[in-house]
């Protein structure tokens, strides 16, 4: 049960941080295409995605932790 | 024991992990009185509340003359009278109003004659018009007794009725209890007091930690050493 | 026929106890008048015309005052403990619920009338040209509020948090009453024609119906042990 | 937890993660940037699916609650609790991502936009659900109260929806570009659909595993209370 969750955790974490990585490599998006106002949305978008995945991951980890505890208690 | 009127089997009640009543079963014939003894916390009150229909058992079945108890079933409540050791009356209503209120809940039509008559029976006729909160503990219990017998229930449950009563109130109570022994009503009495408990009992039970550790006909019980067997059973059950 | 007599007995008992103790009606009455006074000081008439926001203030006062009174409904019962014996009587649980709702409804209607008088006095409000429509709006709103409030007052009285839990449970559910009630009241106070508030009255009636039906149906699960 | 439950959870988990990958590819590479709002509009592709899951979860809570009250089967209550936990989480996601989007799109942190308002109210109904469940001495009573609140909440949400929608029509709001309307460009709709599918899979994955956890906790409580016959056969609760 433990390893299932670790795999989900790692994969989703990777996915959540993927866009920042890619964006950084490509350099800033072409300034002409993105008007000033859009750029400001840029940071809010990443914060929103980060919060969403953080919460979902947090719940996944908390379920895994509680499952481990109960399984140990049931095991002995 | 004449034909069983009341049947209870496998009565169990859990409060979360705590099991207050554990697999209690017995049957009572018409007009019989069962006295249940037991230490505090044995689950006696819980058992009575289950029998009254005020508390749902987790498992087990109770039936009265074939009518099986279903929670919230008006038919069951019409036949059952329950006197708790707390008197549960409306302090701001007068004695008369208290009885008339419960009488109307039971759909009784002859309240104008029945209420004064019942107040007379428990010796409270003179106080009919005063608010119930002005009554002493003994008087409150007598009013509560009149209320629980107002609709002439065929199955009566009494939970420690003697506690906190003065001599006069106790004698009134004993008088009323003897009228209950009219061969038509089935009664379950819970008490600590060995002598009062044995006095009217047809059958005797001892309940410890939710279970009946003793269930005998009154004839089989020798009064002298009942006290010893009672204490012995309580220790055994731990 | 027994059903109505049983409900009548309950309403009679609640109102008699209320008249004798006058505990709740006094508390709610004093509360609402004092809130009216506070609002008069809290609002600067030169900046805001009280008439414009009066209906919102009125409804907030009624709801907070109602919370005060409703929270006590089952608290008093628990004190006497006699409610357990009412549960042991052959009264159907929905009759028990309706009896309580009617008693609370009468009590809260009296307090609401007081609120309207107080606000009329302090904020120089008329009752609009259609008092009948206004009465319909207010009565339906209060009925919906009392139906939800009574069900969850029975519930919160049986929890360790007691009355403090009641507003948390009830306020999210009261949004429709506040929206339709306050808006309809303000348009009526401003003298708009009754046709303006027809929709509101229908929705308030719908809410009251849903609240009464769900309350009656679910009450047994709240009081059952 | 039974193997059937675990494997289904795992399958949904991987499906969910797969869909998340697809969603991220679509959001960051494929779908066009919405002209008037710019990049921030992409928050929309997790905001709306989260709201959909939050309300769907509450539907499950209400249905399981009604089932629990009717059948008195603990499993239904455990399912309701698991769904409520998931629902609360996704409601919180909506309430956090909403203002982030609103600040850029409308210039204000909080806007009484229909979906945001309904989700805020739903959040407090969930809060009441958990509070009432925890604040009773007898756990059974807490479950019943939570089920009642779930049902009344579910009956009330349509009325809240209508009233808030009507309320907003009274006050002209800045026109909110609503790309989930039928007129939205296809690529946005597809991305949105992927988002909904991904979140729904993840929700049911964690819902099943949380349900299994609750089943095992129930088994543990039964075993600790020393009562045989709990669903614990070989250390794995069914």
């Amino acid at each position: 049960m433990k390893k299932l969750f670790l795999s989900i955790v790692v994969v989703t974490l990777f996915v959540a941080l993927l866009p920042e990585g890619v964006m950084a490599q490509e350099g800033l998006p072409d300034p002409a295409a993105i008007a000033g106002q859009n750029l400001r949305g840029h940071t809010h978008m990443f914060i929103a995605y980060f919060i969403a995945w953080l919460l979902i991951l947090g719940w996944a980890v908390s379920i895994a932790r509680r499952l481990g505890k109960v399984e140990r208690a049931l095991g002995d | 024991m004449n034909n069983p009127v009341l049947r209870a089997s496998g009565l169990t009640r859990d409060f979360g992990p705590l099991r207050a009543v554990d697999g209690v079963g017995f049957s009572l014939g018409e007009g019989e009185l069962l006295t249940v003894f037991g230490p505090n916390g044995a689950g006696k009150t819980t058992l009575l509340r289950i029998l009254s229909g005020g508390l749902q058992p987790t498992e087990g079945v109770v039936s009265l003359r074939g009518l099986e108890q279903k929670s919230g079933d008006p038919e069951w409540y019409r036949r059952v009278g329950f006197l708790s050791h707390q008197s549960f009356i409306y302090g701001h209503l007068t004695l008369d109003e208290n009885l008339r209120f419960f009488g109307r809940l039971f759909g009784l039509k002859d309240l104008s004659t029945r209420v004064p008559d019942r107040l007379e029976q428990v010796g409270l006729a003179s106080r009919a018009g005063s608010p119930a909160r002005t009554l002493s503990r003994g008087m409150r219990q007598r009013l509560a007794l009149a209320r629980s017998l107002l609709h002439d229930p065929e199955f009566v449950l009494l939970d420690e009725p003697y506690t906190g009563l003065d001599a006069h109130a106790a004698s009134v109570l004993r008088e009323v209890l003897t009228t209950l022994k009219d061969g038509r009503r089935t009664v379950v009495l819970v008490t600590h007091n060995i002598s009062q408990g044995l006095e009217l009992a047809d059958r005797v039970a001892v309940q410890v930690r939710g279970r009946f550790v003793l269930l005998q006909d009154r004839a089989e019980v020798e009064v002298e050493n009942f006290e010893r067997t009672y204490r012995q059973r309580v220790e055994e059950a731990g | 026929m027994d059903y109505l007599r049983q409900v009548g007995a309950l309403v009679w008992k609640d109102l008699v106890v209320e008249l004798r103790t006058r505990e709740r009606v006094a508390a709610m009455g004093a509360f609402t008048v004092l809130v009216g006074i506070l609002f008069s000081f809290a609002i600067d008439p030169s900046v805001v015309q009280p008439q414009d926001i009066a209906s919102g203030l009125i409804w907030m006062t009624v709801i907070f005052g109602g919370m005060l009174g409703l929270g006590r409904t089952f608290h008093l019962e628990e004190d006497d403990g006699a409610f357990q014996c009412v549960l042991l009587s052959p009264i159907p649980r929905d009759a028990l619920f309706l009896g309580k709702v009617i008693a609370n409804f009468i009590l809260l209607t009296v307090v609401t009338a007081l609120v309207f008088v107080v606000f009329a006095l302090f904020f120089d409000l008329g009752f609009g040209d259609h008092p009948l429509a206004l009465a319909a709006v207010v009565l339906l709103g209060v009925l919906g509020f009392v139906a939800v409030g009574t069900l969850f007052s029975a519930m919160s009285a049986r929890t360790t948090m007691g009355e403090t839990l009641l507003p948390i449970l009830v306020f999210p559910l009261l949004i429709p009453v506040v929206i339709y009630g306050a808006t309809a009241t303000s348009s009526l106070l401003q003298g708009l024609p009754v046709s303006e508030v027809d929709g509101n009255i229908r929705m308030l009636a719908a809410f009251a119906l849903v609240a009464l039906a769900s309350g009656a149906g679910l009450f047994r699960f709240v009081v059952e042990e | 937890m039974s193997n059937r439950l675990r494997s289904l959870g795992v399958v949904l988990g991987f499906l969910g993660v797969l869909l998340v990958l697809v969603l991220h590819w679509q959001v960051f590479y494929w779908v066009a940037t919405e002209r008037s709002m710019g990049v921030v509009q992409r928050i929309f592709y997790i905001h709306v699916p989260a709201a959909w899951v939050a309300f769907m979860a509450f539907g499950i809570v209400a249905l399981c609650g009604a089932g629990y009250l009717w059948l008195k089967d603990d499993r239904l209550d455990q399912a309701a609790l698991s769904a409520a936990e998931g629902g609360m989480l996704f409601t919180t996601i909506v309430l956090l991502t909403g203002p982030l989007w609103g600040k850029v799109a409308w210039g204000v942190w909080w806007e009484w936009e229909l979906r945001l308002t309904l989700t805020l109210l739903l959040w407090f109904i969930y809060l009441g659900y958990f509070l009432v469940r925890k604040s009773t001495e007898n756990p059974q009573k807490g479950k019943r109260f939570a089920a009642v609140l779930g049902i009344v909440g579910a009956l009330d949400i349509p009325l809240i929806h209508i009233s808030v929608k009507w309320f907003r029509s009274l006050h002209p709001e800045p026109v909110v570009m609503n790309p989930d309307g039928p007129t939205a460009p296809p690529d946005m709709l597809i991305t949105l659909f992927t988002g909904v599918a991904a979140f729904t899979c993840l929700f049911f994955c964690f819902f099943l595993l949380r349900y299994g956890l609750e089943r095992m906790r129930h088994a543990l409580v039964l075993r600790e209370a020393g009562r045989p016959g709990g669903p614990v056969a070989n250390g794995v609760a069914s």
Side-chain angles (χ1 to χ4, degrees):
Chain A
M1 178 44 70
K2 258 272 177 276
K3 50 185 178 5
L4 152 77
F5 265 93
L6 285 184
S7 50
I8 288 189
V9 163
V10 167
V11 165
T12 318
L13 196 65
F14 168 72
V15 159
L17 303 176
L18 181 65
E20 282 84 351
V22 167
M23 281 297 178
Q25 279 133 22
E26 275 175 12
L28 273 180
D30 159 19
I34 307 285
Q37 188 249 12
N38 293 4
L39 198 59
R40 192 155 53 77
H42 195 74
T43 48
H44 279 223
M45 180 180 72
F46 290 124
I47 297 170
Y49 272 73
F50 187 74
I51 287 175
W53 296 122
L54 198 65
L55 284 174
I56 292 178
L57 277 172
W59 192 37
V61 166
S62 112
I63 291 180
R65 197 175 40 75
R66 287 181 281 180
L67 264 176
K69 198 150 62 72
V70 167
E71 269 174 350
R72 268 194 308 282
L74 270 177
D76 57 27
Chain B
M1 181 200 357
N2 32 30
N3 51 34
V5 158
L6 174 91
R7 277 196 189 76
S9 56
L11 285 182
T12 305
R13 170 70 196 197
D14 300 332
F15 289 106
L18 165 73
R19 175 154 286 195
V21 171
D22 185 5
V24 166
F26 64 92
S27 62
L28 273 177
E30 187 146 18
E32 283 191 342
L33 186 143
L34 164 72
T35 301
V36 180
F37 296 104
N40 280 344
K44 305 194 295 296
T45 300
T46 310
L47 174 63
L48 279 191
R49 285 187 62 207
I50 292 174
L51 294 172
S52 74
L55 185 67
Q56 281 180 69
T58 320
E59 285 152 33
V61 170
V62 190
S63 68
L64 183 63
R65 288 200 202 323
L67 168 71
E68 204 183 297
Q69 180 196 68
K70 290 195 302 302
S71 99
D73 169 19
E75 257 335 287
W76 183 268
Y77 297 123
R78 267 185 225 292
R79 305 171 185 214
V80 178
F82 177 66
L83 174 64
S84 162
H85 51 279
Q86 293 152 309
S87 35
F88 293 152
I89 45 174
Y90 285 108
H92 295 291
L93 297 181
T94 68
L95 282 72
D96 183 69
E97 285 168 344
N98 260 287
L99 291 187
R100 296 173 77 85
F101 168 63
F102 282 101
R104 283 164 71 193
L105 289 188
F106 277 89
L108 302 175
K109 302 291 187 289
D110 58 350
L111 285 179
S112 50
T113 56
R114 185 184 290 249
V115 168
D117 172 29
R118 290 305 166 85
L119 283 176
E120 187 59 42
Q121 192 189 12
V122 287
L124 289 171
S126 58
R127 301 288 300 263
S130 52
R133 68 180 184 301
T134 60
L135 296 181
S136 70
R137 161 101 180 112
M139 291 181 188
R140 280 170 179 264
Q141 272 302 82
R142 282 189 274 153
L143 177 63
L145 178 65
R147 188 244 342 259
S148 16
L149 303 177
L150 192 61
H151 55 295
D152 295 330
E154 58 184 85
F155 179 35
V156 178
L157 303 166
L158 306 165
D159 189 1
E160 315 269 6
Y162 288 101
T163 48
L165 295 192
D166 51 56
H168 173 55
S171 70
V172 169
L173 178 62
R174 188 173 302 105
E175 221 175 281
V176 170
L177 288 190
T178 43
T179 60
L180 287 181
K181 296 276 293 175
D182 56 9
R184 201 170 48 76
R185 267 182 258 268
T186 311
V187 181
V188 176
L189 169 68
V190 160
T191 182
H192 282 290
N193 186 311
I194 304 278
S195 63
Q196 277 167 350
L198 289 179
E199 186 188 353
L200 297 162
D202 297 306
R203 305 194 65 201
V204 174
V206 174
Q207 182 176 359
V208 179
R209 291 161 70 89
R211 281 192 311 283
F212 272 10
V213 293
L214 177 139
L215 181 58
Q216 285 171 330
D217 282 345
R218 172 70 179 74
E220 297 153 21
V221 168
E222 306 93 13
V223 181
E224 308 73 28
N225 47 34
F226 177 74
E227 191 113 14
R228 199 167 32 73
T229 44
Y230 168 58
R231 204 166 293 110
Q232 185 195 0
R233 287 295 171 90
V234 171
E235 269 102 32
E236 270 159 33
Chain C
M1 218 353 245
D2 260 0
Y3 189 91
L4 291 181
R5 188 175 302 119
Q6 287 170 326
V7 171
L10 260 167
V11 174
W12 169 80
K13 189 268 295 179
D14 270 2
L15 293 182
V16 162
V17 169
E18 193 49 45
L19 285 178
R20 295 211 179 131
T21 56
R22 280 186 299 285
E23 187 193 279
R24 288 196 291 163
V25 72
M28 291 159 85
F31 175 85
T32 49
V33 174
L34 285 168
V35 165
I37 295 170
L38 288 182
F39 277 146
S40 320
F41 291 116
I43 296 158
D44 174 356
S46 60
V47 171
V48 171
Q49 260 308 330
Q51 280 77 1
D52 307 341
I53 55 168
S55 78
L57 299 181
I58 287 173
W59 276 89
M60 280 302 106
T61 311
V62 166
I63 285 181
F64 289 133
M67 275 293 123
L68 211 63
L70 281 177
R72 298 287 300 161
T73 316
F74 288 94
H75 202 72
L76 293 172
E77 295 281 354
E78 296 302 322
D79 291 353
D80 288 341
F83 193 66
Q84 283 189 21
C85 290
V86 171
L87 289 172
L88 289 181
S89 69
I91 180 171
R93 297 332 176 199
D94 45 14
L96 192 50
F97 174 73
L98 290 180
K100 280 288 172 193
V101 165
I102 294 169
N104 284 337
F105 175 68
I106 293 170
L107 181 68
L108 202 54
T109 306
V110 166
V111 171
T112 308
L114 175 67
V115 168
F116 268 90
V117 166
V118 162
F119 275 69
L121 205 62
F122 289 161
F123 295 107
D124 176 28
L125 296 175
F127 288 114
D129 313 334
H130 313 286
L132 222 57
L134 183 62
V137 165
V138 168
L139 289 177
L140 281 173
V142 166
L143 179 61
F145 169 44
V146 162
V148 174
T150 303
L151 177 70
F152 286 105
S153 160
M155 185 185 288
S156 55
R158 284 164 172 71
T159 63
T160 49
M161 288 175 73
E163 291 153 52
T164 52
L165 189 60
L166 186 58
I168 299 171
L169 298 179
V170 168
F171 282 172
L173 305 173
L174 283 184
I175 297 297
V177 171
V178 171
I179 288 179
Y180 288 119
T183 319
T185 311
S186 74
S187 27
L188 284 173
L189 286 184
Q190 285 156 15
L192 295 176
V194 179
S195 58
E196 280 288 315
V197 294
D198 281 350
N200 297 31
I201 291 181
R202 266 201 308 281
M203 284 312 292
L204 284 171
F207 181 88
L209 203 64
V210 168
L212 283 169
S214 59
L218 295 169
F219 193 66
R220 56 189 276 260
F221 296 113
V222 174
V223 290
E224 218 171 53
E225 276 297 314
Chain D
M1 173 189 337
S2 78
N3 301 343
R4 187 175 43 76
L5 206 62
R6 187 195 302 265
S7 47
L8 191 55
V10 166
V11 164
L12 280 171
F14 277 112
L15 188 59
V17 168
L18 188 67
L19 284 166
V20 162
L21 290 179
V22 171
L23 174 70
H24 270 246
W25 174 75
Q26 284 175 333
V27 165
F28 294 109
Y29 294 98
W30 181 59
V31 75
T33 304
E34 200 274 332
R35 270 169 315 289
S36 64
M37 264 194 262
V39 166
V40 80
Q41 183 270 342
R42 294 170 194 258
I43 293 180
F44 174 79
Y45 298 114
I46 50 169
H47 180 78
V48 172
W52 144 254
V53 168
F55 280 90
M56 177 192 70
F58 195 75
I60 297 174
V61 169
L63 279 175
C64 291
Y68 172 67
L69 288 180
W70 186 36
L71 305 169
K72 291 275 188 288
D73 179 344
D74 262 338
R75 284 178 307 195
L76 284 167
D77 168 68
Q78 285 147 9
L81 174 61
S82 313
E85 202 168 279
M88 181 80 156
L89 180 100
F90 281 95
T91 316
T92 311
I93 289 176
V94 173
L95 292 179
L96 292 178
T97 53
L100 282 169
W101 173 17
K103 181 63 180 162
V104 175
W106 307 313
V108 284
W109 284 109
W110 180 259
E111 164 57 46
W112 290 104
E113 185 257 349
L114 178 61
R115 184 180 300 114
L116 264 179
T117 311
L118 291 181
T119 312
L120 180 65
L121 294 172
L122 180 63
W123 193 88
F124 278 101
I125 296 177
Y126 271 123
L127 179 71
Y129 182 86
F130 285 109
L131 274 180
V132 89
R133 175 184 277 276
K134 280 197 193 58
S135 62
T136 55
E137 315 87 15
N138 171 6
Q140 295 300 344
K141 202 159 49 163
K143 293 176 189 170
R144 267 206 324 271
F145 288 178
V148 166
L149 177 60
I151 294 167
V152 174
L155 288 173
D156 200 21
I157 281 178
L159 286 167
I160 297 177
H161 185 109
I162 299 166
S163 55
V164 171
K165 199 167 193 171
W166 178 75
F167 181 78
R168 282 182 35 67
S169 69
L170 290 182
H171 312 285
E173 296 304 322
V175 171
V176 175
M177 208 329 253
N178 225 335
D180 59 354
T183 59
D187 60 344
M188 287 189 181
L189 279 180
I190 293 169
T191 314
L192 180 63
F193 180 74
T194 319
V196 170
F199 273 36
T200 307
C201 284
L202 281 180
F203 168 78
F204 277 111
C205 158
F206 295 134
F207 166 72
L208 289 174
L209 298 176
R210 181 66 183 75
Y211 172 70
L213 166 64
E214 207 52 39
R215 289 296 302 152
M216 292 166 86
R217 274 196 184 151
H218 181 66
L220 201 61
V221 164
L222 286 182
R223 205 180 61 163
E224 262 155 23
R227 283 204 290 290
V232 178
N234 42 25
V236 174
S238 67

